Amino acid sequence: MLTASERAECMARHVVAAAQQDNGRVVTRGLVDDVMSRYADQEQGKANKQSVGRIVRRQAASEGVRVIFTDHERYWAIREQLHHMDGDQVHALRDSIADGGDYDPRENDGVLIDAISVRLSNRLSPRRLEGVEPVSIRLWHEPEPDGVGSLPEYAQHPGVAEALDVLRAAEVPVATVPGRKMLYREWHSPQGPQGAFIWPGAGRTLELSWFIDGAQDERGMRSRGTRGVRTARNSALDTIEAAFRGAGWTVWRVESSNTTTRRALRMDVTPPPAEEPQASS
């Protein structure tokens, strides 16, 4: 059984190690939260967060890490980063935030907005920015990236990448799922996702759906265009099936048994088995 101070000391060591290895030697509140969540089911994970922060700050100089806990510390760290960007880059950052609108997390980041405003003003740079090396990590939350053909977290999935190559070779459009939040009426409209979209399934199998006006099937549609949408989706999945079979993939069609006319729901595809290396004689 560890004492409260021993738990905090142990957790502080984990936080400092994470900063040194994976976070550019910078400790933020977010890093403390992330590290403590990893140990939530262990005794040291029950340490007092404020105590952990105090120990990390006390050890920062000797461990060669920088602590950015307060808004004041974060403001000046951001100013350092902006100080090393030229005017065009800072203007582009400001314009990008403005274009993102209310759904862009940077829009509501008062510390970031204040730092950008001062950087773009006519004020002289304070001496504390002269010769400083900016921290190497991003100090603000970027908007979620769009998912083009699949969710961003699956972009490096080998099966997903291969399947997207098959679709592109067949000139099949893929759906883009925007990273920003969309209103229901925006999503379910001609501005919503359109085209093929892929999810990893069990094993090597992938699940493929076809979006029309933001919907991957017509269930819940109230318009009289249901039959036309059904026909369009059936036809699109027929084309995709031919493309994958032509590339040597195994294809399973998933269709509804509850409608009088054919209604395709999705398609499951599996890439061809990898070729066995030939044994040398």
Side-chain angles (χ1 to χ4, degrees), residues 34-51:
D34 290 344
V35 174
M36 292 191 68
S37 67
R38 295 177 209 164
Y39 294 88
D41 58 346
Q42 299 181 29
E43 187 176 357
Q44 60 263 41
K46 299 176 175 60
N48 180 276
K49 191 176 297 184
Q50 285 70 33
S51 298

Side-chain angles (χ1 to χ4, degrees), residues 62-214:
S62 62
E63 297 291 347
V65 299
R66 179 169 178 178
V67 173
I68 301 177
F69 284 164
T70 68
D71 283 347
H72 180 75
E73 291 168 336
R74 184 166 170 266
Y75 171 83
W76 282 107
I78 292 174
R79 287 289 307 276
E80 293 169 12
Q81 292 182 317
L82 299 177
H83 183 69
H84 283 74
M85 298 166 61
D86 62 36
D88 289 343
Q89 291 174 316
V90 181
H91 277 287
L93 174 60
R94 184 191 62 183
D95 293 344
S96 171
I97 294 172
D99 292 342
D102 293 338
Y103 297 116
D104 190 326
R106 300 171 299 178
E107 175 69 22
N108 300 311
D109 187 341
V111 174
L112 173 62
I113 299 302
D114 287 348
I116 291 174
S117 298
V118 174
R119 170 66 175 80
L120 293 176
S121 69
N122 293 322
R123 305 181 201 178
L124 293 174
S125 297
R127 288 186 177 180
R128 67 183 295 170
L129 296 179
E130 295 177 2
V132 298
E133 288 294 328
V135 297
S136 58
I137 65 166
R138 186 61 51 81
L139 293 169
W140 54 84
H141 293 294
E142 293 284 350
E144 291 293 327
D146 291 343
V148 181
S150 188
L151 295 176
E153 55 263 38
Y154 301 135
Q156 304 304 317
H157 186 287
V160 169
E162 291 179 38
L164 290 174
D165 286 343
V166 172
L167 295 175
R168 294 188 182 105
E171 299 183 347
V172 174
V174 296
T176 296
V177 171
R180 69 178 182 88
K181 295 180 181 178
M182 292 181 71
L183 297 175
Y184 183 87
R185 64 175 178 271
E186 291 181 288
W187 184 278
H188 293 280
S189 74
Q191 287 70 49
Q194 313 280 343
F197 205 75
I198 301 169
W199 286 269
R204 298 172 66 238
T205 300
L206 307 172
E207 297 179 4
L208 191 149
S209 298
W210 184 263
F211 279 89
I212 298 177
D213 292 352

Side-chain angles (χ1 to χ4, degrees), residues 3-13 15-16 27-40 43-58 67-69:
T3 66
S5 60
E6 288 172 337
R7 286 196 294 267
E9 288 278 358
C10 183
M11 186 53 58
R13 288 195 295 272
V15 170
V16 169
V27 182
T28 62
R29 289 290 182 192
L31 180 66
V32 175
D33 292 341
D34 290 344
V35 174
M36 292 191 68
S37 67
R38 295 177 209 164
Y39 294 88
E43 187 176 357
Q44 60 263 41
K46 299 176 175 60
N48 180 276
K49 191 176 297 184
Q50 285 70 33
S51 298
V52 173
R54 285 193 294 270
I55 295 170
V56 169
R57 189 180 290 281
R58 188 173 68 237
V67 173
I68 301 177
F69 284 164

Side-chain angles (χ1 to χ4, degrees), residues 246-259:
W249 290 53
T250 303
V251 179
W252 294 270
R253 297 293 294 264
V254 181
E255 302 194 351
S256 173
S257 60
N258 298 324
T259 55

Side-chain angles (χ1 to χ4, degrees), residues 196-239:
F197 205 75
I198 301 169
W199 286 269
R204 298 172 66 238
T205 300
L206 307 172
E207 297 179 4
L208 191 149
S209 298
W210 184 263
F211 279 89
I212 298 177
D213 292 352
Q216 63 191 76
D217 63 53
E218 70 269 24
R219 285 178 292 186
M221 284 182 61
R222 296 181 180 179
S223 72
R224 297 182 179 180
T226 301
R227 182 162 295 183
V229 168
R230 181 177 301 174
T231 300
R233 180 171 288 106
N234 291 344
S235 176
L237 289 176
D238 288 343
T239 300

